[in-house]
Amino acid sequence: MLKLSKKVEYGLISMMHMDLVQNGDLATARELSDAYNIPAELLGKVLQSLAKGQLIVSAQGSKGGYRLARGLDRVTLGQVVEAVEGPVHIAVCQDDPSCCEQYSMCNIKRPVLQVQKQLVEYMYGLPLSEFRNRVQVKRPTVAGAEHGG
C-alpha cells in the first residue's frame, strides 16, 4: 500500500502549525507534541530532518523553537517527503536494482517507472499552501484560557 509514513504526517502537521504562528514567533517541539499528541522523541527527529532539509529553521536557546524557512506556497509535498524519508520510490528496485531477482527480465519495469515519474511530478508540484484550504489546523490554546483563566 502506498501511503505517507507517520513521520511525514507529523512533519506536515508541524509545518501547517508553524504557518499559523505569525510575526516571527516560534513553535516549540513541546507545543507541537502536546497540541497534536505526537511522541516527543519521534517529533524531534522529524523536526531535525525538516531543518536539515532547509524547510524549517531552528532557533536554539531558552526562547528557541522552529519556524518555516519560507512560505508554504514555496514548499511542496515532495520536498517534505524527501526531507523526512528520502527520495520518493514506489518500488524497491528503484533504489537498488541488484536487490530484485526479476529486474533484468521484469515486464512491469517500464510502467512502474512511468507511475513513479507521474507521482514524483505530482508530489513536487503540490505546494503545502494547498493543504491550507483542505485541512483543519488545530490552533494551540493556553491552559485555562477556555475557562476564563
Side-chain angles (χ1 to χ4, degrees), residues 13 17 28-38 43 138-141:
I13 288 168
H17 180 93
T28 67
R30 181 173 189 103
E31 171 187 329
L32 291 163
S33 177
D34 291 347
Y36 301 99
N37 197 28
I38 301 173
L43 179 62
K138 186 175 182 179
R139 293 186 180 266
T141 59

Side-chain angles (χ1 to χ4, degrees), residues 17-147:
H17 180 93
M18 287 175 212
D19 184 54
L20 288 175
V21 178
Q22 300 297 321
N23 303 322
D25 288 342
L26 301 173
T28 67
R30 181 173 189 103
E31 171 187 329
L32 291 163
S33 177
D34 291 347
Y36 301 99
N37 197 28
I38 301 173
E41 186 175 324
L42 181 56
L43 179 62
K45 291 177 183 177
V46 169
L47 294 171
Q48 285 176 348
S49 296
L50 293 173
K52 185 177 179 184
Q54 300 179 347
L55 301 178
I56 64 173
V57 176
S58 169
Q60 303 299 317
S62 61
K63 301 281 187 187
Y66 299 89
R67 66 173 170 77
L68 296 175
R70 55 189 174 275
L72 293 184
D73 57 326
R74 296 180 46 224
V75 178
T76 67
L77 175 60
Q79 290 171 315
V80 174
V81 171
E82 186 170 338
V84 174
E85 292 288 352
V88 176
H89 292 302
I90 62 171
V92 173
C93 64
Q94 292 173 307
D95 281 331
D96 181 11
S98 68
C99 72
C100 180
E101 296 174 15
Q102 293 81 30
Y103 190 79
S104 64
M105 62 211 133
C106 183
N107 62 358
I108 64 166
K109 185 175 10 179
R110 179 171 276 167
V112 167
L113 289 174
Q114 184 60 35
V115 170
Q116 164 74 25
K117 180 180 181 225
Q118 291 176 355
L119 177 63
V120 168
E121 286 174 3
Y122 177 76
M123 291 177 75
Y124 279 87
L126 182 63
L128 294 190
S129 57
E130 289 289 315
F131 285 49
R132 241 189 240 128
N133 300 327
R134 300 177 185 172
V135 177
Q136 187 80 325
V137 179
K138 186 175 182 179
R139 293 186 180 266
T141 59
V142 177
E146 61 274 346
H147 300 292

